[in-house]
Amino acid sequence: MRAFVDELQRAGELDIVDRAVDPRYELAAVTRAAQRRSARALLFSNVRGTGMPVVTNLYSGRRRLAGLIGADEDDFCRRWNAHVDAAARRTAPATEPMTPAPLLRAGRLRDLPLIHYHGRDAGAYFTSAVYLARDPDTGVANLSFHRSLVVDDGELRVRLGSTHDLAACQRRAEQAGEPLPAALLIGVNPAVFLAAAARIPAQADELALAAEIAGAPIPTRRCASIDLEVPADTEIVVEGRFLPGIRRREGPFGEFMGYYVSAGDNHVFEISAVHWLAEPLFHSVVCGSAEDLSVLEARTAAGVYRHLSAVLPGIIDVSCAPALLNTTVKIRKQYEGHGRQVLLAAFGTDLDYNKLCIVVDEDVDITDLNEVLWAYVTRGRADTRVMVVNDVPGFYRDEHRDHWGRLGIDATRPFGREAEFERKSIPGEDDVDLDAYLRPRV
Protein backbone atom coordinates (compact mmCIF):
# COMPACT_ATOMS: atom_id res chain seq x y z
CA MET A 1 0.00 0.00 0.00
CA ARG A 2 2.87 2.40 0.74
CA ALA A 3 4.15 2.06 -2.81
CA PHE A 4 0.67 2.85 -4.10
CA VAL A 5 0.42 5.94 -1.87
CA ASP A 6 3.85 7.09 -3.09
CA GLU A 7 2.73 6.57 -6.68
CA LEU A 8 -0.39 8.68 -6.10
CA GLN A 9 1.75 11.43 -4.58
CA ARG A 10 4.12 11.47 -7.55
CA ALA A 11 1.12 11.70 -9.89
CA GLY A 12 -0.29 14.68 -7.99
CA GLU A 13 -3.25 12.61 -6.76
CA LEU A 14 -2.56 12.88 -3.02
CA ASP A 15 -3.45 15.75 -0.70
CA ILE A 16 -1.79 15.98 2.72
CA VAL A 17 -3.44 17.36 5.86
CA ASP A 18 -0.81 18.42 8.42
CA ARG A 19 -3.24 20.14 10.77
CA ALA A 20 -4.18 18.15 13.89
CA VAL A 21 -7.41 16.25 13.28
CA ASP A 22 -9.72 14.57 15.78
CA PRO A 23 -10.54 10.94 14.89
CA ARG A 24 -13.98 11.48 16.43
CA TYR A 25 -16.03 12.70 13.42
CA GLU A 26 -13.60 15.41 12.24
CA LEU A 27 -11.46 13.06 10.17
CA ALA A 28 -14.52 11.58 8.45
CA ALA A 29 -16.01 15.05 7.88
CA VAL A 30 -12.84 16.33 6.22
CA THR A 31 -12.68 13.17 4.12
CA ARG A 32 -16.20 13.67 2.79
CA ALA A 33 -15.54 17.34 2.06
CA ALA A 34 -12.39 16.42 0.13
CA GLN A 35 -14.24 13.73 -1.83
CA ARG A 36 -16.85 16.27 -2.94
CA ARG A 37 -14.03 18.34 -4.42
CA SER A 38 -12.00 15.63 -6.17
CA ALA A 39 -11.04 11.96 -6.31
CA ARG A 40 -7.54 12.62 -4.93
CA ALA A 41 -6.36 10.47 -2.03
CA LEU A 42 -5.92 12.09 1.36
CA LEU A 43 -3.25 11.60 4.03
CA PHE A 44 -3.74 12.88 7.58
CA SER A 45 -0.28 13.22 9.13
CA ASN A 46 -1.40 14.37 12.58
CA VAL A 47 -4.31 12.41 14.07
CA ARG A 48 -4.97 13.08 17.73
CA GLY A 49 -4.51 10.16 20.12
CA THR A 50 -2.22 8.14 17.86
CA GLY A 51 1.17 8.42 16.25
CA MET A 52 -0.04 6.78 13.04
CA PRO A 53 -0.89 8.74 9.89
CA VAL A 54 -4.22 7.88 8.27
CA VAL A 55 -4.69 7.55 4.52
CA THR A 56 -8.06 7.44 2.79
CA ASN A 57 -9.80 7.72 -0.60
CA LEU A 58 -7.21 5.45 -2.19
CA TYR A 59 -9.65 3.53 -4.38
CA SER A 60 -12.06 6.20 -5.63
CA GLY A 61 -13.16 5.96 -9.24
CA ARG A 62 -13.19 3.36 -12.00
CA ARG A 63 -10.13 4.93 -13.65
CA ARG A 64 -7.89 4.30 -10.63
CA LEU A 65 -9.20 0.77 -10.12
CA ALA A 66 -8.69 -0.02 -13.79
CA GLY A 67 -5.06 1.06 -13.52
CA LEU A 68 -4.52 -1.33 -10.63
CA ILE A 69 -5.59 -4.32 -12.72
CA GLY A 70 -3.88 -3.26 -15.93
CA ALA A 71 -7.03 -2.16 -17.78
CA ASP A 72 -8.41 0.92 -19.48
CA GLU A 73 -11.31 2.63 -17.73
CA ASP A 74 -13.88 1.28 -20.20
CA ASP A 75 -12.37 -2.20 -20.19
CA PHE A 76 -12.45 -2.87 -16.44
CA CYS A 77 -15.20 -5.52 -16.52
CA ARG A 78 -13.55 -7.69 -19.16
CA ARG A 79 -10.10 -7.45 -17.59
CA TRP A 80 -11.40 -8.12 -14.07
CA ASN A 81 -13.16 -11.28 -15.23
CA ALA A 82 -9.98 -12.40 -16.98
CA HIS A 83 -8.14 -12.17 -13.64
CA VAL A 84 -10.91 -14.12 -11.89
CA ASP A 85 -10.78 -16.86 -14.54
CA ALA A 86 -6.98 -17.03 -14.33
CA ALA A 87 -7.17 -17.39 -10.54
CA ALA A 88 -9.55 -20.34 -10.92
CA ARG A 89 -7.05 -22.05 -13.25
CA ARG A 90 -3.95 -21.10 -11.28
CA THR A 91 -1.57 -23.96 -10.47
CA ALA A 92 1.38 -21.86 -9.24
CA PRO A 93 1.51 -21.03 -5.51
CA ALA A 94 -0.53 -17.99 -4.57
CA THR A 95 1.80 -17.07 -1.70
CA GLU A 96 5.44 -17.37 -0.72
CA PRO A 97 7.15 -16.79 2.64
CA MET A 98 9.05 -13.52 2.88
CA THR A 99 12.65 -13.97 3.97
CA PRO A 100 13.75 -12.34 6.06
CA ALA A 101 10.40 -11.51 7.63
CA PRO A 102 9.81 -7.78 8.24
CA LEU A 103 10.51 -6.31 11.66
CA LEU A 104 7.29 -5.84 13.62
CA ARG A 105 6.25 -3.82 16.62
CA ALA A 106 3.74 -5.20 19.11
CA GLY A 107 1.05 -2.95 20.51
CA ARG A 108 -2.54 -2.65 21.62
CA LEU A 109 -5.76 -1.75 19.90
CA ARG A 110 -5.90 1.56 21.73
CA ASP A 111 -2.70 2.63 19.96
CA LEU A 112 -4.46 2.60 16.58
CA PRO A 113 -6.50 5.47 15.14
CA LEU A 114 -9.96 4.77 16.60
CA ILE A 115 -12.20 6.58 14.14
CA HIS A 116 -15.81 7.54 14.81
CA TYR A 117 -17.55 8.04 11.47
CA HIS A 118 -21.24 8.90 11.89
CA GLY A 119 -23.17 10.72 14.59
CA ARG A 120 -25.17 7.71 15.83
CA ASP A 121 -22.49 5.03 15.41
CA ALA A 122 -22.07 2.84 18.49
CA GLY A 123 -18.38 3.72 18.73
CA ALA A 124 -15.14 3.57 16.77
CA TYR A 125 -15.20 1.16 13.83
CA PHE A 126 -12.69 -0.52 11.55
CA THR A 127 -14.14 -0.18 8.06
CA SER A 128 -11.28 -0.84 5.65
CA ALA A 129 -9.98 -3.94 7.39
CA VAL A 130 -9.78 -7.22 5.47
CA TYR A 131 -10.48 -10.39 7.43
CA LEU A 132 -8.29 -13.34 6.46
CA ALA A 133 -9.45 -16.78 7.53
CA ARG A 134 -9.33 -20.31 6.16
CA ASP A 135 -12.24 -22.63 5.56
CA PRO A 136 -12.15 -25.10 8.48
CA ASP A 137 -12.96 -27.99 6.12
CA THR A 138 -10.94 -27.20 2.99
CA GLY A 139 -8.27 -24.78 4.18
CA VAL A 140 -9.10 -22.39 1.30
CA ALA A 141 -8.26 -18.78 2.10
CA ASN A 142 -11.08 -16.26 2.38
CA LEU A 143 -10.64 -12.49 2.25
CA SER A 144 -13.59 -10.27 3.11
CA PHE A 145 -14.75 -6.96 4.60
CA HIS A 146 -16.91 -6.73 7.71
CA ARG A 147 -17.57 -3.71 9.88
CA SER A 148 -15.95 -4.12 13.29
CA LEU A 149 -16.87 -2.21 16.45
CA VAL A 150 -13.98 -1.55 18.85
CA VAL A 151 -15.03 -2.54 22.39
CA ASP A 152 -11.66 -2.63 24.16
CA ASP A 153 -8.14 -3.98 23.70
CA GLY A 154 -9.43 -7.54 23.79
CA GLU A 155 -12.65 -7.49 21.80
CA LEU A 156 -14.26 -6.50 18.51
CA ARG A 157 -17.90 -7.03 17.59
CA VAL A 158 -18.31 -7.92 13.96
CA ARG A 159 -21.23 -7.95 11.53
CA LEU A 160 -20.91 -11.11 9.43
CA GLY A 161 -23.51 -10.94 6.66
CA SER A 162 -25.44 -14.20 6.47
CA THR A 163 -24.67 -14.71 2.78
CA HIS A 164 -20.92 -14.12 3.10
CA ASP A 165 -18.36 -16.90 2.84
CA LEU A 166 -16.72 -15.98 6.16
CA ALA A 167 -20.09 -16.39 7.88
CA ALA A 168 -20.33 -19.90 6.42
CA CYS A 169 -16.81 -20.73 7.63
CA GLN A 170 -17.65 -19.43 11.10
CA ARG A 171 -20.87 -21.50 11.19
CA ARG A 172 -19.02 -24.71 10.38
CA ALA A 173 -16.41 -24.04 13.05
CA GLU A 174 -19.15 -23.18 15.54
CA GLN A 175 -21.06 -26.38 14.76
CA ALA A 176 -17.92 -28.27 15.70
CA GLY A 177 -17.69 -26.25 18.93
CA GLU A 178 -14.52 -24.55 17.77
CA PRO A 179 -13.47 -20.90 17.44
CA LEU A 180 -12.44 -19.70 13.99
CA PRO A 181 -8.93 -18.15 13.88
CA ALA A 182 -8.73 -15.02 11.75
CA ALA A 183 -6.51 -12.01 11.15
CA LEU A 184 -7.74 -8.47 10.66
CA LEU A 185 -5.57 -6.75 8.02
CA ILE A 186 -5.43 -2.95 7.89
CA GLY A 187 -3.45 -1.29 5.12
CA VAL A 188 -3.01 -4.09 2.60
CA ASN A 189 -1.49 -4.41 -0.84
CA PRO A 190 -4.04 -3.06 -3.38
CA ALA A 191 -4.22 -6.51 -5.00
CA VAL A 192 -5.29 -8.02 -1.68
CA PHE A 193 -7.82 -5.21 -1.13
CA LEU A 194 -9.43 -5.77 -4.53
CA ALA A 195 -9.45 -9.55 -4.13
CA ALA A 196 -11.24 -9.17 -0.79
CA ALA A 197 -14.02 -7.28 -2.57
CA ALA A 198 -14.44 -9.94 -5.26
CA ARG A 199 -17.37 -12.27 -5.61
CA ILE A 200 -16.00 -15.66 -6.54
CA PRO A 201 -17.16 -19.20 -5.69
CA ALA A 202 -16.73 -20.20 -2.04
CA GLN A 203 -14.27 -22.95 -2.96
CA ALA A 204 -12.01 -20.46 -4.82
CA ASP A 205 -8.93 -19.00 -3.11
CA GLU A 206 -9.01 -15.20 -2.98
CA LEU A 207 -5.27 -15.06 -2.34
CA ALA A 208 -4.90 -16.70 -5.77
CA LEU A 209 -6.91 -13.82 -7.23
CA ALA A 210 -4.67 -11.33 -5.41
CA ALA A 211 -1.63 -13.04 -6.92
CA GLU A 212 -3.13 -12.80 -10.41
CA ILE A 213 -3.83 -9.09 -9.98
CA ALA A 214 -0.36 -8.46 -8.55
CA GLY A 215 1.30 -10.58 -11.23
CA ALA A 216 3.33 -12.49 -8.63
CA PRO A 217 2.83 -14.62 -5.50
CA ILE A 218 1.85 -12.67 -2.39
CA PRO A 219 4.74 -12.59 0.15
CA THR A 220 3.56 -13.77 3.58
CA ARG A 221 4.68 -13.97 7.21
CA ARG A 222 3.54 -16.12 10.11
CA CYS A 223 1.15 -14.78 12.71
CA ALA A 224 2.35 -14.61 16.31
CA SER A 225 -0.62 -16.15 18.13
CA ILE A 226 -2.68 -18.09 15.56
CA ASP A 227 -1.95 -20.63 12.85
CA LEU A 228 -2.22 -18.31 9.84
CA GLU A 229 0.07 -16.62 7.36
CA VAL A 230 -0.77 -13.05 6.38
CA PRO A 231 0.48 -10.82 3.54
CA ALA A 232 3.87 -9.65 4.77
CA ASP A 233 3.51 -6.01 3.72
CA THR A 234 0.26 -5.47 5.64
CA GLU A 235 0.68 -2.31 7.70
CA ILE A 236 -1.28 -3.48 10.78
CA VAL A 237 -2.45 -6.96 11.78
CA VAL A 238 -4.94 -7.77 14.55
CA GLU A 239 -4.90 -11.50 15.36
CA GLY A 240 -7.66 -13.40 17.11
CA ARG A 241 -10.60 -15.75 16.77
CA PHE A 242 -14.36 -15.68 16.35
CA LEU A 243 -15.86 -17.20 19.47
CA PRO A 244 -18.44 -19.97 19.00
CA GLY A 245 -21.93 -19.60 20.41
CA ILE A 246 -21.46 -16.01 21.60
CA ARG A 247 -23.27 -12.95 20.24
CA ARG A 248 -23.13 -9.46 21.72
CA ARG A 249 -24.73 -6.12 20.95
CA GLU A 250 -23.26 -4.20 18.00
CA GLY A 251 -24.50 -1.07 16.25
CA PRO A 252 -26.07 1.18 15.18
CA PHE A 253 -23.79 2.00 12.27
CA GLY A 254 -24.09 4.20 9.16
CA GLU A 255 -24.06 1.75 6.24
CA PHE A 256 -23.45 2.13 2.50
CA MET A 257 -27.03 3.03 1.52
CA GLY A 258 -26.77 6.21 3.58
CA TYR A 259 -28.84 5.12 6.57
CA TYR A 260 -28.15 3.65 9.99
CA VAL A 261 -28.41 -0.09 10.51
CA SER A 262 -29.93 -0.64 13.94
CA ALA A 263 -28.19 -2.43 16.79
CA GLY A 264 -28.27 -6.22 16.88
CA ASP A 265 -26.51 -9.21 18.39
CA ASN A 266 -23.45 -9.98 16.29
CA HIS A 267 -20.24 -12.01 16.37
CA VAL A 268 -17.47 -11.59 18.92
CA PHE A 269 -13.83 -11.47 17.85
CA GLU A 270 -11.38 -12.12 20.70
CA ILE A 271 -8.03 -10.40 20.14
CA SER A 272 -4.83 -12.30 20.88
CA ALA A 273 -2.15 -10.04 19.33
CA VAL A 274 -1.70 -6.70 17.59
CA HIS A 275 1.40 -5.73 15.62
CA TRP A 276 2.46 -3.43 12.81
CA LEU A 277 5.29 -2.49 10.50
CA ALA A 278 7.68 0.34 11.31
CA GLU A 279 5.96 3.73 10.87
CA PRO A 280 2.66 2.21 9.75
CA LEU A 281 -0.04 3.84 7.65
CA PHE A 282 -3.63 3.27 8.77
CA HIS A 283 -6.18 2.97 5.96
CA SER A 284 -9.63 4.46 6.64
CA VAL A 285 -12.75 4.12 4.48
CA VAL A 286 -15.90 6.16 5.09
CA CYS A 287 -18.69 3.65 4.52
CA GLY A 288 -20.89 4.67 1.60
CA SER A 289 -18.33 7.18 0.32
CA ALA A 290 -16.93 7.32 -3.20
CA GLU A 291 -14.03 5.07 -2.16
CA ASP A 292 -16.31 2.45 -0.63
CA LEU A 293 -18.85 2.41 -3.45
CA SER A 294 -16.24 2.51 -6.25
CA VAL A 295 -14.87 -0.88 -5.29
CA LEU A 296 -18.30 -2.44 -4.73
CA GLU A 297 -19.56 -0.93 -7.97
CA ALA A 298 -16.68 -2.21 -10.06
CA ARG A 299 -16.86 -5.80 -8.84
CA THR A 300 -20.68 -5.89 -9.14
CA ALA A 301 -20.60 -4.45 -12.65
CA ALA A 302 -18.01 -7.02 -13.68
CA GLY A 303 -20.29 -9.82 -12.49
CA VAL A 304 -23.24 -8.44 -14.44
CA TYR A 305 -21.04 -8.02 -17.52
CA ARG A 306 -19.86 -11.63 -17.27
CA HIS A 307 -23.39 -13.02 -17.18
CA LEU A 308 -24.82 -10.80 -19.90
CA SER A 309 -21.91 -11.42 -22.27
CA ALA A 310 -22.42 -15.16 -21.89
CA VAL A 311 -26.10 -15.10 -22.92
CA LEU A 312 -26.57 -12.10 -25.23
CA PRO A 313 -24.65 -10.35 -28.05
CA GLY A 314 -23.64 -6.72 -28.21
CA ILE A 315 -22.74 -6.13 -24.54
CA ILE A 316 -20.14 -3.34 -24.39
CA ASP A 317 -19.87 -2.25 -20.76
CA VAL A 318 -21.71 -2.15 -17.41
CA SER A 319 -21.79 0.40 -14.59
CA CYS A 320 -23.49 0.24 -11.19
CA ALA A 321 -22.64 3.84 -10.29
CA PRO A 322 -23.57 5.81 -8.34
CA ALA A 323 -25.75 3.93 -5.86
CA LEU A 324 -24.87 0.24 -6.44
CA LEU A 325 -28.56 -0.77 -6.45
CA ASN A 326 -28.78 0.53 -10.03
CA THR A 327 -27.22 -1.01 -13.13
CA THR A 328 -26.68 0.63 -16.53
CA VAL A 329 -25.73 -1.53 -19.51
CA LYS A 330 -24.22 -0.16 -22.72
CA ILE A 331 -25.03 -2.25 -25.79
CA ARG A 332 -24.55 -2.26 -29.53
CA LYS A 333 -28.18 -2.80 -30.48
CA GLN A 334 -28.61 -5.55 -33.04
CA TYR A 335 -32.36 -6.24 -33.37
CA GLU A 336 -35.81 -5.10 -32.31
CA GLY A 337 -36.36 -5.96 -28.64
CA HIS A 338 -32.65 -6.37 -27.89
CA GLY A 339 -32.81 -3.82 -25.05
CA ARG A 340 -35.73 -5.59 -23.34
CA GLN A 341 -33.92 -8.91 -23.49
CA VAL A 342 -30.91 -7.30 -21.83
CA LEU A 343 -33.15 -5.96 -19.05
CA LEU A 344 -34.69 -9.36 -18.38
CA ALA A 345 -31.28 -11.00 -18.26
CA ALA A 346 -29.82 -8.24 -16.07
CA PHE A 347 -32.51 -8.61 -13.40
CA GLY A 348 -31.23 -12.06 -12.51
CA THR A 349 -27.48 -11.44 -12.58
CA ASP A 350 -27.19 -10.03 -9.05
CA LEU A 351 -30.12 -10.72 -6.76
CA ASP A 352 -28.92 -8.19 -4.17
CA TYR A 353 -28.29 -5.11 -6.25
CA ASN A 354 -30.09 -4.93 -9.62
CA LYS A 355 -33.12 -3.00 -8.37
CA LEU A 356 -33.08 -0.53 -11.28
CA CYS A 357 -31.68 -1.59 -14.66
CA ILE A 358 -31.27 0.74 -17.65
CA VAL A 359 -30.03 -0.12 -21.14
CA VAL A 360 -28.44 2.54 -23.37
CA ASP A 361 -26.73 2.79 -26.75
CA GLU A 362 -22.98 2.82 -27.33
CA ASP A 363 -22.80 6.65 -27.57
CA VAL A 364 -23.97 7.22 -23.97
CA ASP A 365 -21.66 7.66 -20.97
CA ILE A 366 -22.99 5.04 -18.54
CA THR A 367 -21.16 6.58 -15.58
CA ASP A 368 -23.15 9.82 -15.94
CA LEU A 369 -26.81 9.47 -14.98
CA ASN A 370 -27.50 12.87 -16.54
CA GLU A 371 -26.58 11.32 -19.90
CA VAL A 372 -28.53 8.16 -19.16
CA LEU A 373 -31.70 10.11 -18.25
CA TRP A 374 -31.24 12.32 -21.32
CA ALA A 375 -31.18 9.20 -23.50
CA TYR A 376 -34.39 7.91 -21.94
CA VAL A 377 -36.40 11.12 -22.29
CA THR A 378 -35.23 11.93 -25.84
CA ARG A 379 -35.16 8.53 -27.58
CA GLY A 380 -38.73 7.31 -27.46
CA ARG A 381 -41.95 6.95 -25.51
CA ALA A 382 -41.93 7.09 -21.73
CA ASP A 383 -44.62 4.46 -21.19
CA THR A 384 -43.77 1.54 -23.45
CA ARG A 385 -40.06 1.45 -22.63
CA VAL A 386 -40.48 0.81 -18.89
CA MET A 387 -40.76 -2.65 -17.37
CA VAL A 388 -41.90 -3.29 -13.78
CA VAL A 389 -41.45 -6.73 -12.23
CA ASN A 390 -43.34 -6.97 -8.97
CA ASP A 391 -42.57 -8.97 -5.82
CA VAL A 392 -39.03 -10.09 -6.67
CA PRO A 393 -36.81 -10.36 -3.55
CA GLY A 394 -33.92 -7.92 -3.42
CA PHE A 395 -31.12 -7.03 -1.01
CA TYR A 396 -30.68 -9.86 1.49
CA ARG A 397 -30.91 -7.67 4.61
CA ASP A 398 -34.46 -6.44 4.02
CA GLU A 399 -37.03 -7.67 6.54
CA HIS A 400 -39.60 -5.06 5.45
CA ARG A 401 -39.20 -5.85 1.72
CA ASP A 402 -38.19 -2.29 0.88
CA HIS A 403 -35.94 -3.58 -1.90
CA TRP A 404 -38.35 -6.02 -3.52
CA GLY A 405 -39.34 -5.54 -7.14
CA ARG A 406 -37.44 -4.53 -10.24
CA LEU A 407 -37.66 -1.52 -12.57
CA GLY A 408 -36.24 -1.72 -16.08
CA ILE A 409 -35.85 1.13 -18.57
CA ASP A 410 -34.95 0.71 -22.24
CA ALA A 411 -33.30 4.03 -23.11
CA THR A 412 -31.98 2.88 -26.50
CA ARG A 413 -32.89 4.40 -29.88
CA PRO A 414 -35.77 2.86 -31.84
CA PHE A 415 -34.35 0.03 -33.91
CA GLY A 416 -33.98 0.97 -37.59
CA ARG A 417 -34.25 4.72 -36.90
CA GLU A 418 -30.75 5.28 -35.53
CA ALA A 419 -29.92 7.99 -38.08
CA GLU A 420 -32.68 10.19 -36.66
CA PHE A 421 -30.91 10.22 -33.31
CA GLU A 422 -27.39 11.17 -34.38
CA ARG A 423 -25.93 13.35 -31.65
CA LYS A 424 -25.05 16.86 -32.74
CA SER A 425 -21.44 17.98 -32.45
CA ILE A 426 -19.27 21.05 -33.02
CA PRO A 427 -16.15 20.43 -35.15
CA GLY A 428 -12.99 20.86 -33.08
CA GLU A 429 -14.86 20.94 -29.74
CA ASP A 430 -12.83 18.11 -28.21
CA ASP A 431 -9.50 19.65 -29.22
CA VAL A 432 -9.94 23.09 -27.64
CA ASP A 433 -7.25 24.18 -25.15
CA LEU A 434 -9.44 26.48 -23.09
CA ASP A 435 -6.53 28.03 -21.18
CA ALA A 436 -5.26 29.47 -24.45
CA TYR A 437 -8.47 31.46 -24.84
CA LEU A 438 -9.18 32.68 -21.31
CA ARG A 439 -7.72 35.84 -19.80
CA PRO A 440 -5.47 34.96 -16.83
CA ARG A 441 -6.98 35.74 -13.44
CA VAL A 442 -5.48 38.71 -11.61
Side-chain angles (χ1 to χ4, degrees):
M1 189 184 76
R2 295 190 202 197
F4 182 43
V5 172
D6 290 343
E7 180 182 324
L8 292 174
Q9 186 170 19
R10 287 192 297 270
E13 295 187 25
L14 176 72
D15 291 329
I16 298 176
V17 177
D18 290 324
R19 172 176 166 176
V21 173
D22 195 328
R24 187 176 177 88
Y25 309 130
E26 185 182 9
L27 186 145
V30 174
T31 298
R32 288 301 294 267
Q35 289 175 327
R36 285 192 289 269
R37 176 178 292 181
S38 76
R40 289 197 294 272
L42 199 61
L43 189 147
F44 297 91
S45 64
N46 186 2
V47 180
R48 292 193 182 103
T50 177
M52 297 183 188
V54 173
V55 66
T56 188
N57 213 35
L58 294 180
Y59 300 102
S60 282
R62 181 77 75 93
R63 178 183 61 82
R64 193 172 291 165
L65 297 179
L68 287 170
I69 66 168
D72 295 327
E73 187 172 355
D74 58 358
D75 194 36
F76 178 91
C77 292
R78 186 196 64 80
R79 184 63 176 160
W80 175 261
N81 289 324
H83 283 307
V84 171
D85 292 341
R89 300 189 302 267
R90 187 179 179 91
T91 56
T95 62
E96 61 181 11
M98 175 178 277
T99 52
L103 295 176
L104 303 176
R105 297 180 179 177
R108 299 168 299 180
L109 219 59
R110 72 182 72 174
D111 301 320
L112 304 180
L114 301 182
I115 301 171
H116 292 67
Y117 289 96
H118 313 103
R120 287 182 49 210
D121 286 357
Y125 272 85
F126 295 143
T127 56
S128 70
V130 174
Y131 277 93
L132 169 62
R134 290 195 175 273
D135 188 300
D137 297 330
T138 67
V140 170
N142 176 260
L143 300 169
S144 53
F145 297 97
H146 307 275
R147 70 174 189 256
S148 303
L149 171 65
V150 178
V151 177
D152 53 39
D153 282 339
E155 180 181 328
L156 300 174
R157 295 180 190 170
V158 185
R159 172 67 164 80
L160 297 185
S162 59
T163 62
H164 294 173
D165 293 339
L166 182 57
C169 293
Q170 191 278 331
R171 279 195 299 271
R172 286 196 292 276
E174 189 170 61
Q175 289 164 0
E178 298 291 335
L180 180 70
L184 189 75
L185 315 177
I186 302 174
V188 295
N189 184 310
V192 174
F193 192 87
L194 294 180
R199 280 187 168 181
I200 60 178
Q203 66 272 20
D205 190 324
E206 273 139 349
L207 283 174
L209 176 56
E212 288 296 331
I213 295 171
I218 303 299
T220 59
R221 54 182 165 88
R222 297 289 301 174
C223 284
S225 63
I226 56 175
D227 186 19
L228 279 179
E229 294 184 354
V230 298
D233 58 2
T234 303
E235 298 289 323
I236 301 157
V237 175
V238 179
E239 301 177 11
R241 56 184 192 161
F242 288 98
L243 299 181
I246 298 177
R247 304 291 186 271
R248 291 177 184 154
R249 207 69 172 163
E250 179 270 324
F253 178 71
E255 268 285 7
F256 79 93
M257 290 189 198
Y259 307 105
Y260 289 97
V261 176
S262 58
D265 292 334
N266 284 316
H267 294 78
V268 175
F269 186 75
E270 181 183 73
I271 296 168
S272 54
V274 181
H275 44 82
W276 49 76
L277 301 179
E279 300 179 357
L281 283 175
F282 184 98
H283 181 206
S284 161
V285 171
V286 178
C287 194
S289 69
E291 178 175 23
D292 184 30
L293 292 182
S294 287
V295 178
L296 293 173
E297 182 277 325
R299 73 95 195 266
T300 304
V304 175
Y305 175 89
R306 172 190 289 276
H307 177 82
L308 293 179
S309 298
V311 298
L312 287 168
I315 307 300
I316 298 174
D317 200 5
V318 176
S319 170
C320 297
L324 194 61
L325 296 177
N326 63 288
T327 296
T328 307
V329 185
K330 180 186 292 193
I331 68 170
R332 187 169 293 109
K333 198 170 182 179
Q334 300 185 12
Y335 48 85
E336 184 73 40
H338 189 184
R340 293 179 70 83
Q341 283 192 330
V342 172
L343 289 175
L344 288 170
F347 288 149
T349 57
D350 193 304
L351 301 182
D352 281 345
Y353 296 129
N354 285 343
K355 187 175 182 179
L356 166 63
C357 294
I358 306 173
V359 181
V360 298
D361 296 298
E362 58 214 88
D363 64 334
V364 175
D365 180 357
I366 59 175
T367 66
D368 183 351
L369 284 190
N370 290 320
E371 280 244 324
V372 172
L373 182 60
W374 167 82
Y376 171 56
V377 299
T378 64
R379 295 188 171 185
R381 292 175 52 165
D383 55 348
T384 59
R385 298 188 300 146
V386 174
M387 179 188 305
V388 177
V389 182
N390 295 311
D391 297 325
V392 177
F395 192 66
Y396 73 94
R397 192 180 62 235
D398 185 25
E399 60 179 309
H400 299 297
R401 300 186 178 184
D402 292 327
H403 300 294
W404 281 47
R406 296 288 188 273
L407 172 63
I409 298 175
D410 182 354
T412 59
R413 297 169 293 210
F415 185 69
R417 296 174 53 204
E418 289 81 5
E420 299 175 38
F421 296 88
E422 179 185 358
R423 297 183 69 159
K424 66 178 186 178
S425 63
I426 299 174
E429 176 183 5
D430 294 336
D431 300 322
V432 169
D433 178 5
L434 196 56
D435 290 336
Y437 290 84
L438 297 179
R439 177 184 299 171
R441 293 182 180 179
V442 178

